Every structure is written in C-alpha cells, then in structure tokens.
C-alpha cells in the first residue's frame, strides 16, 4: 500500500513576457484505497494539478513536493522523475483531451505501454485475451485496436480508451481529469463502472477531477476537496459535493476574491 | 508517343518556356528531349527546379561532360538476361524521354547501357549501382524490361560515393507484372540526380517502391506512362531525411489510355536542422483515358524542428469519364503533446519516437515482399532514428 503526498505545490506556466503562477500551494494526501474528488470552477487550476503530477513540460513546479511513499518507509521524489518514469512508478493520468497519435495502432500502443509499465512484454496469448476482455467491459468495438491511437475518435470514444488503459496498466494512483466531460448518460455509466472495477481491489488511489457532481453519483468519493485560486480551499466528506450541487462554487470564489 | 525530339521544333517554343523562366502551367505541356542542348541551363527559378539547391548539384545542371560511369552489377539467374549495349541499341529510349537538362545530359553522355531483361518467372534480381567515388562525376544508363506475361521482382540498389546523373528505363511489357524496389542508400557525400522512365504495357502491372535514405542530395524525377489500356501502377515511396539532407521526388503519372489505375503513396520522415524533403506529384488524365482510377497521397512526418517538407500534389483531368481521382498531402509534426502522451503511459522517449516512425513507415515496408530487404531497410531506419539522439 502506498500514499501520494502533495505538499505546498506551486506551479507556473509561461505567458507572454513572463510566468504566471497557477497553483498557489496545494496540499493533498491520498492513500491507496481512497478516492478523492477535486471540484472547482473553471480556471481554478484543477487540470494544472493533474498535468503537474504527470510531469507535462509546460508546467513548471517552482516549489513544493510530490512524493510516492510506501508502507515499508520507501519514499520516491516524483518531481525528479521523467514523465515515463512516473508512469512506470505507478502514476496514471486519464486526460481530459487525449492526444491523437497518427501512425501508431491502438494495439501496438497498448502493448508497448503494458511492456513498459510491467517491465516485460506480456505473453501474447494471455495479452490478446486480456485486451479483448477489457474492451468488452467498456463496450469498445474490438475493431478499435487496428485504428491509430485516438485518431478520429469521438470525445466519448477517447474517454473509454483512457479507462481501457487504466484497466490494463493498473497504476497505483490514477488522476482522472474531467473524464466525465462530454459523456452521455450511458457512456458515463460504462466509464464509471470501469473506474469502479479499477478501485475494487482497494489497493489503488483515485484523484477524480470534475466540474460537475453527476459522476459522483456513480463513483463515491471518500473525500471531496474544493479547489479555487490554485489550491484546496475546503475539504470534507461526500456531503460537501451535495452542498456544491445545491449552492455552486460562488461561496468559494467570493472568499478567494476577498482574500485576493 | 516517344518520337525523338532533337533540338527544338518551332511548335514547341511555348513548351520550352517550362524549362525557362516561366513555370509550366500544365503537365501535358511538359517539354522532353534526348538532347541536352535542347534544354537551357536552369536558373533555379523554374517550376521543376525551384526546390532543388543548385549549389549542391556539383554542376550537374550545367555540365555536358562526365568523368566516368557508375559500376553496375546484376545477379544473373535463369530467365534473366544481362546485356551491355551501345547507345544505338533499338530498345534504348523505349521507356521514355528526359524531361530536364540533367537527365538529358546523362542521356547524351552515356556510352554503354546495362540492359536487364526478365522472362518468365525468374527469382528476384538485384541490380547494384555503385557511385564513381568521391569527387568523380558519372553518367549512367540502365534499362529493366520484362517480356510479355513475365512475373518478376527487381531490386535496384544505389550506394557508394560521388556524383551521378542517370536514367533508369523500366519497360513493363503487356500482361507482365514487375515488382520494382529502387533504393538510394548512398554515402553521406553522394549527389544523385536520376530520372525514371517507366512505361506500363497493356494489362501490365507495376508495383514500385522507391526508398530514399542516404546521400547529400538525391533528386529523382519519375514518369509513368501507360502504353495500352488496363495498366496498373502502384507507386510507393519512403524517405528519411537527416540534418542537411535534401531528398526530392518528382512524379508524373501520365494516363493516356482507358481503364488504367494508379495508386501513389509517398511517406517521408524528417529530422535535424536543414533536413529537406520535396515531393511533387503530378497526375495527368488525358482525354483518351476514360475509366481511370487514380489516387495519390504524400505524408510527411516532421520529427524535430529545423526540418522542412515541401509537398505539391497536382491533378489534371481532361475527361469527365473516370472512375475516381483524388490527391492529398499531409505534413504532421511529431509534437510534444504526442510525446507526452506516450511517455505518460510509461513508454520512454526514444521508444516513443521509434513507435511513431515504425508505425508511419509500416504501411510501406509491409509491401516489400523480400524479407531480407525489408529487414535491412527496417534496420536502416532504426539506425537513422539512433542518429537523432533526441
């Protein structure tokens, strides 16, 4: 069992003529077996947090730490790792806008990723079965393995592919960045079931980033954090999501403006 | 159709403008001649020269004299006849007529040509063309021809050093099928300006793969000419340009007979500062070419900054009675977002790049039916990838 610790994380991006600080000191600890929801208005820095954890080069961490700690006392400094090292260490980001990679078939991509993350190439026979099973769980047409990665996929199809990768790569911690956006009711149910299967073992942690509460009807969080102005401004249990559903983010954005 | 044009007939005065300061407006007006003096020395502004860096041509665009000929060796097997013939051999010129000054200069200069005839169903044949050596300028001439209804596979490999201008005639006889792979695997110093004159007979099939990997500057001007109805040409290309390398493919598929098909797919990858690929794809469907089916597609994959891919597809249709005609061109960049995405799934950067390039070329390589050749080219592409070190 492990823990993902984020401490006083500050992140900037390059803008015309300088840098702009997006994350202004994020503190967050997620233990294996827990699901945390991060909710917040547009522009509050939720996606920046997701990308900073994954190591996107556009986001510069100016201070703070991200640490992957294990029960035996081992501590891994995530920020010193390359993007692929982070993935192999057990971090996963389901992206809001998955990238199209022309020329690379989905089958080839999935196998390359599994080989990298597992440290050895999966045995072909069991692998084909595993992929087929995981695709069937997500109602993905088997023909998609022959298509290029995300190329020409609809928004919903891309999101299913992200959850397919989650199922096959089985990370320690998964960050789901607005995985619910752009999904119709049926797709939301299928995708949520996929995430719940991943959670079921109780040994994996989920950081669920969302703007809306509807995905929380399907995936019950242990903790809910409200994100505003680039940091967590309030944390609570699932009931906090219900309050947001009733009264929106106004209370928090106003606080932020007042603190300003 | 291939009547020799010596000098410049008055009625061709307008056509010659295409070699002069005015660009050609139509592929059908393209001027051709076996005689180098019929072409003006290009200034570099002409449509068919504007992408070629003339300073790096080592004078090929001006010269009429050559020091040497390339070394040509052919594996001889049953059904394959190899002849060294004089320039007055009646078969010389059957493939086509030079369309630019360099090709005409090589044509005017060669003393003997290598002529390879394929009869029946011979084993695959390899023709090795070796450059004249560093600092030496050569002119060469090669003709590959099938007999009617033959089924043959030929690999023409170019390697070595030096400067070469040459003509490759490919005569695909009625009812025959020719698989032809032409590779440019030159040493870093080499300059090669080649012209391919391909004619496809009645109900004949050409399956061509053009591979450009090595050399400082390689410019290949290919013409596919149908000589009867029912011809089928598939033209595939694969190029990998490194830093400062200029790789150019200029293609004209000239549909002059009914019921013919052509399918063109050229793919280039580019990496490094000054890497440059040029692809010009002209398809001409003449009035007589009813029921033509044609598609041409150029795709370029830019792997690093500082590289440039030029791509100009042209389609000219003189009859409405065709099955289909299409062309497309797409230049994509292997960008930071794609790299990030693949890396975020645990795939290291070099493996991610390899995955993308292998996937990109896989479609072409899978069409090469000779396993040893395919493996060698795959290895060459891996070696190119290793060069980047990025």
């Amino acid at each position: 069992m492990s823990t993902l610790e984020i401490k006083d994380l500050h992140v900037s991006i390059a803008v015309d003529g300088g840098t702009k600080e997006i994350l202004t000191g994020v503190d967050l600890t997620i233990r294996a077996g827990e699901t945390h929801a991060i909710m917040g208005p547009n522009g509050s820095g939720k996606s920046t947090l997701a990308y900073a954890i994954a190591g996107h080069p556009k986001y510069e961490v100016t201070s703070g730490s991200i640490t992957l700690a294990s029960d035996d006392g081992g501590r891994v400094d995530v920020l010193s790792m390359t993007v692929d090292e982070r993935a192999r260490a057990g971090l996963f980001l389901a992206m809001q806008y998955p990238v199209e990679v022309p020329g690379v078939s989905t089958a080839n991509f999935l196998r390359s990723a599994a080989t990298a993350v597992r440290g050895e190439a999966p045995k072909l026979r069991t692998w084909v079965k595993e992929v087929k099973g995981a695709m069937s769980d997500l109602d993905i047409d088997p023909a998609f393995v022959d298509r290029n990665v995300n190329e020409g996929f609809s928004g919903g199809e891309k999101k299913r592919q992200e959850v397919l990768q989650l199922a096959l790569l089985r990370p320690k911690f998964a960050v789901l960045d607005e995985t619910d956006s752009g999904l119709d009711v049926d797709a939301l149910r299928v995708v949520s079931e996929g995430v719940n299967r991943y959670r079921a073992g109780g040994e994996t942690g989920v950081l669920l980033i969302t703007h809306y509460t509807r995905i929380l009807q399907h995936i019950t969080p242990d903790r809910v954090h409200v994100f505003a102005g680039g940091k967590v401004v309030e944390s609570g249990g699932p009931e906090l999501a219900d309050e947001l559903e009733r009264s929106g983010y106004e209370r928090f954005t106003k606080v932020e403006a007042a603190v300003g | 159709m291939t009547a020799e044009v010596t000098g410049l007939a008055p009625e061709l005065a307008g056509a010659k403008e295409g070699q002069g300061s005015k660009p050609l407006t139509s592929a059908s007006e393209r001027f051709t001649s076996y005689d180098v003096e019929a072409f003006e020395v290009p200034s570099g502004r002409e449509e068919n020269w504007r992408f070629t860096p003339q300073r790096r041509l080592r004078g090929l665009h001006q010269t009429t004299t050559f020091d040497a000929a390339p070394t040509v060796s052919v594996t001889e097997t049953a059904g394959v006849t190899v002849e060294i013939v004089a320039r007055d051999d009646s078969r010389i010129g059957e493939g086509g007529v030079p369309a630019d000054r360099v090709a005409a200069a090589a044509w005017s200069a060669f003393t003997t040509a290598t002529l390879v005839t394929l009869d029946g169903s011979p084993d695959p044949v390899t023709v090795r063309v070796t450059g004249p050596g560093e600092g030496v300028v050569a002119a060469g001439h090669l003709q590959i021809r099938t007999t009617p209804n033959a089924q043959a596979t030929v690999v023409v490999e170019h390697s070595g050093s030096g400067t070469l201008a040459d003509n490759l005639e490919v005569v695909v006889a009625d009812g025959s099928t020719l698989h032809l792979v032409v590779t440019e695997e030159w040493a870093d110093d080499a300059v090669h300006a080649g012209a391919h004159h391909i004619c496809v007979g009645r109900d004949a099939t050409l399956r061509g793969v053009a591979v450009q990997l090595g050399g400082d500057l390689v410019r290949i001007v290919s013409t596919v000419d149908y000589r009867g109805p029912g011809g089928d040409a598939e033209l595939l290309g694969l190029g990998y340009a490194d830093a400062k390398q200029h790789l150019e493919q200029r293609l004209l598929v000239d549909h002059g007979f009914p019921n013919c098909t052509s399918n063109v797919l050229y793919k280039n990858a580019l990496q490094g500062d000054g890497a440059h690929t040029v692809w010009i794809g002209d398809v001409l469907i003449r009035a007589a070419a009813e029921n033509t089916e044609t598609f041409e597609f150029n795709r370029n994959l830019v792997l690093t900054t500082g590289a440039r891919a030029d791509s100009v597809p042209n389609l000219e249709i003189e009859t409405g009675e065709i099955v289909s005609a299409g062309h497309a061109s797409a230049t994509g960049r292997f960008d930071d977002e794609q790299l990030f995405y693949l890396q975020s799934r645990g795939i290291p950067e070099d493996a991610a790049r390899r995955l993308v390039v292998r996937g990109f070329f896989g479609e072409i390589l899978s069409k090469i039916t000779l396993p040893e050749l395919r493996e060698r080219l795959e290895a060459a592409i891996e070696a190119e990838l290793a060069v980047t070190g990025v």
Side-chain angles (χ1 to χ4, degrees):
Chain A
M1 304 283 268
S2 43
T3 305
L4 181 65
E5 294 174 9
I6 300 169
K7 284 197 172 144
D8 194 30
L9 190 70
H10 290 252
V11 173
S12 296
I13 57 163
V15 291
D16 284 342
T19 60
K20 185 180 175 199
E21 185 166 72
I22 307 289
L23 298 189
T24 56
V26 177
D27 289 294
L28 198 62
T29 299
I30 305 166
R31 287 175 194 83
E34 293 178 351
T35 296
H36 291 230
I38 288 195
M39 304 192 64
N42 289 328
S44 58
K46 303 189 299 292
S47 286
T48 298
L49 175 63
Y51 278 123
I53 295 170
H56 194 291
K58 206 176 111 185
Y59 301 89
E60 192 202 345
V61 176
T62 51
S63 66
S65 66
I66 302 178
T67 309
L68 205 51
S70 55
D71 282 350
D72 59 15
R75 294 177 68 77
V76 177
D77 173 15
V78 172
L79 293 176
S80 69
M81 300 170 116
T82 62
V83 175
D84 49 300
E85 285 169 347
R86 295 178 196 203
R88 293 198 296 277
L91 297 177
F92 181 88
L93 168 62
M95 295 187 200
Q96 186 180 1
Y97 303 108
V99 180
E100 300 190 4
V101 189
V104 178
S105 73
T106 298
N108 197 359
F109 165 63
L110 291 176
R111 192 168 162 77
S112 300
T115 301
V117 166
R118 297 178 190 183
E120 60 176 354
K123 289 205 174 57
L124 204 54
R125 259 179 56 199
T126 50
W127 170 249
V128 171
K129 242 172 113 176
E130 191 184 344
V131 173
K132 275 191 179 155
M135 290 178 81
S136 152
D137 286 344
L138 291 162
D139 285 348
I140 298 172
D141 181 346
F144 271 69
V145 293
D146 295 323
R147 292 178 58 181
N148 290 333
V149 176
N150 291 321
E151 195 176 40
F153 292 15
S154 72
E157 285 164 350
K158 286 179 181 173
K159 295 297 174 70
R160 284 177 204 234
Q161 291 290 322
E162 296 293 284
V163 178
L164 172 66
Q165 292 163 31
L166 177 71
L168 293 170
L169 301 180
R170 297 191 289 270
K172 293 191 178 106
F173 289 94
V175 180
L176 309 180
D177 186 9
E178 304 218 8
T179 297
D180 53 336
S181 69
L183 298 182
D184 63 29
V185 180
D186 292 330
L188 181 65
R189 180 182 49 77
V190 168
V191 162
S192 301
E193 283 170 5
V195 175
N196 285 332
R197 270 192 300 277
Y198 160 73
R199 300 201 300 161
E203 295 182 350
T204 53
V206 173
L207 183 61
L208 187 70
I209 293 172
T210 183
H211 186 74
Y212 303 104
T213 54
R214 61 174 195 157
I215 194 170
L216 304 180
Q217 321 279 325
H218 299 271
I219 303 171
T220 314
D222 300 294
R223 300 285 292 165
V224 174
H225 310 277
V226 180
F227 216 71
K231 59 184 171 188
V232 174
V233 292
E234 190 161 325
S235 299
E239 71 285 351
L240 184 53
D242 299 332
E243 190 209 319
L244 291 171
E245 179 68 24
R246 285 193 304 272
S247 46
Y249 294 115
E250 203 173 326
R251 173 161 77 84
F252 304 101
T253 47
K254 270 185 179 160
V255 168
E256 180 55 33
V259 170
Chain B
M1 253 182 124
T2 56
E4 188 169 342
V5 181
T6 47
L8 187 64
E11 66 270 24
L12 288 172
K16 198 182 174 186
E17 286 176 351
Q19 305 299 328
S21 57
K22 287 186 196 168
L24 271 181
T25 52
S26 166
S28 63
E29 293 169 12
R30 190 170 74 153
F31 174 75
T32 58
S33 170
Y34 296 114
D35 181 11
V36 60
E37 298 304 340
F39 295 88
E40 285 167 12
V41 172
S43 70
R45 289 188 300 274
E46 301 79 2
E47 184 58 31
N48 62 340
W49 285 105
R50 67 188 176 103
F51 292 108
T52 314
Q54 293 202 329
R55 275 176 307 166
R56 288 163 60 186
L57 273 172
R58 307 216 177 106
L60 280 181
H61 59 301
Q62 296 160 328
T63 194
T64 55
T65 58
F66 295 84
D67 312 323
T71 309
V72 179
S73 69
V74 189
T75 56
E76 284 185 68
T77 55
V80 179
T81 310
V82 182
E83 299 164 78
I84 306 298
V85 302
R87 44 184 302 118
D88 61 354
D89 188 285
S90 64
R91 294 165 293 183
I92 294 293
E94 246 180 79
V97 190
D100 67 38
R101 185 177 161 96
V102 179
W107 199 296
S108 301
F110 80 90
T111 49
T112 60
T114 305
L115 209 146
V116 181
T117 306
L118 305 140
D119 184 41
S121 305
D123 288 338
V125 181
T126 300
V127 180
R128 288 202 174 81
V129 179
T130 309
E134 212 164 337
V136 184
V137 182
H141 198 100
L142 175 65
Q143 186 183 91
I144 291 164
R145 53 190 298 124
T146 57
T147 58
N149 304 312
Q151 304 272 335
T153 297
V154 177
V155 182
V156 181
E157 296 175 7
H158 295 90
S159 61
S161 286
T163 304
L164 175 66
D166 67 356
N167 289 277
L168 167 62
E169 294 184 66
V170 179
V171 181
V172 188
D174 292 353
S176 70
T177 297
L178 177 64
H179 289 255
L180 176 68
V181 182
V182 181
T183 70
E184 306 284 336
E185 300 173 83
W186 297 100
D188 290 345
D189 71 286
V191 168
H192 182 204
H196 297 175
H197 313 279
I198 301 164
C199 66
V200 179
R202 171 188 285 263
D203 297 323
T205 302
L206 173 77
R207 298 272 175 265
V209 184
V211 178
Q212 293 191 334
L213 295 172
D216 175 64
L217 181 153
V218 175
R219 171 185 149 115
I220 304 296
V221 180
S222 304
T223 305
V224 176
D225 196 7
Y226 295 85
R227 297 288 166 82
D232 178 7
E234 176 183 75
L235 305 158
L236 306 177
L238 177 168
Y240 202 134
D242 280 326
K244 296 191 183 124
Q245 204 177 12
H246 177 94
L247 301 178
E248 181 168 349
Q249 289 278 6
R250 312 185 67 90
L251 213 64
L252 167 62
V253 182
D254 189 342
H255 282 272
F257 281 89
N259 304 314
C260 293
T261 63
S262 60
N263 196 359
V264 177
L265 174 63
Y266 273 66
K267 288 186 161 190
N268 294 313
L270 302 89
Q271 69 189 21
D273 228 13
H276 190 193
T277 63
V278 178
W279 180 83
I280 312 295
D282 290 330
V283 174
L284 169 62
I285 304 173
R286 294 180 190 267
E290 293 185 352
N291 295 319
T292 292
E293 205 174 334
T294 175
F295 192 75
E296 56 164 354
F297 192 13
N298 172 228
R299 282 192 67 173
N300 302 301
L301 175 65
V302 180
L303 292 163
T304 66
T305 54
R308 174 178 160 170
D310 286 299
S311 178
V312 186
N314 291 308
L315 182 58
E316 218 175 306
I317 308 178
E318 294 174 356
T319 172
E321 302 298 314
I322 58 168
V323 177
S324 61
H327 63 104
S329 164
T331 296
R333 190 168 283 283
F334 178 58
D335 62 23
D336 293 345
E337 293 303 322
Q338 290 167 0
L339 180 61
F340 171 72
Y341 189 69
L342 296 173
Q343 279 189 284
S344 78
R345 296 323 182 227
I347 302 168
E349 179 169 352
D350 56 343
R353 204 171 285 277
R354 216 176 297 135
L355 195 65
V356 167
V357 172
R358 275 191 196 148
F360 181 70
F361 284 137
E363 193 178 358
I364 307 285
L365 288 169
S366 67
K367 296 288 179 72
I368 295 178
T369 50
L370 303 171
E372 278 174 27
L373 175 65
R374 191 174 58 234
E375 281 161 25
R376 185 162 58 91
L377 294 175
E378 279 167 357
I381 289 166
E382 298 289 319
E384 295 268 358
L385 271 162
V387 170
T388 43
V390 284

